[in-house]
Amino acid sequence: MNSSGEHPEPPQDPAQRTLAAGVAAGLERLIGLFRWLSPPSGLSLTAAATLATLERSGPRRLTALAAREGVTQPAMTQLVARLQDSGLVERVPDPADGRVVQVRITAEGQAMLAGRRAVRAERVALLLARLSPDEQAALAAALPAMDALANAQRDGPLVGQP
């Protein structure tokens, strides 16, 4: 959202649209690379993303978690049951309303995520070593923009998203 609380409009200038499309395509390739770099752990991408959300945001109600991850409540209920059976999450009473249950990541769930991240970081380091110093510097220079992009989704849903 912009400062007036409205969603930003896509760029109208053809050159800006072309640049945005090229950046979007590059980010899609990078996302594909990170999926490939993730070690096999028995976790689906949705399960890993759900654990990461709980780690980042703290305990959440099932309905809020389903909305955040873009799945139906029944699908999230099944996923949470599997994660709970694996010891990666637990259900706890909501401190604001004891009748409501929240889902919280366990220490085992945090360890699972840390292990996945460590393997991915090691694999990325090996790939980065193949790049020239200039390419590495270009990536380092882009980090503030990538952080801003990652944080932009937290400001509110995009047009057409819940």
Side-chain angles (χ1 to χ4, degrees):
M1 280 187 212
N2 60 26
S3 59
S4 65
E6 298 173 0
H7 294 285
E9 293 296 321
Q12 298 302 315
D13 176 23
Q16 286 179 327
R17 282 198 312 268
T18 301
L19 176 63
V23 169
L27 289 172
E28 282 290 329
R29 289 189 302 275
L30 190 60
I31 290 167
L33 171 67
F34 273 88
R35 288 182 179 157
W36 175 78
L37 290 172
S38 294
S41 63
L43 288 181
S44 68
L45 290 174
T46 303
T50 299
L51 287 174
T53 294
L54 291 170
E55 183 180 55
R56 235 183 354 265
S57 315
R60 290 209 174 187
R61 292 180 179 194
L62 262 171
T63 53
L65 201 51
R68 170 69 179 88
E69 300 305 323
V71 299
T72 65
Q73 187 172 344
M76 183 55 68
T77 299
Q78 290 177 354
L79 175 60
V80 165
R82 287 192 305 272
L83 291 172
Q84 187 174 15
D85 290 345
S86 299
L88 303 176
V89 301
E90 60 188 354
R91 295 173 195 246
V92 296
D94 185 327
D97 183 350
R99 300 168 296 174
V100 176
V101 173
Q102 290 187 335
V103 180
R104 176 173 62 196
I105 190 169
T106 63
E108 189 175 342
Q110 290 172 324
M112 164 78 78
L113 287 179
R116 287 171 56 92
R117 288 182 185 127
V119 169
R120 207 169 36 239
E122 183 178 312
R123 291 174 177 179
V124 168
L126 292 172
L127 290 175
L128 288 173
R130 295 179 182 177
L131 300 180
S132 72
D134 287 346
E135 290 169 325
Q136 291 180 26
L139 285 173
L143 288 175
M146 289 188 273
D147 285 341
L149 183 61
N151 291 328
Q153 61 87 20
R154 294 186 186 121
D155 293 339
L158 298 174
V159 176
Q161 287 190 324

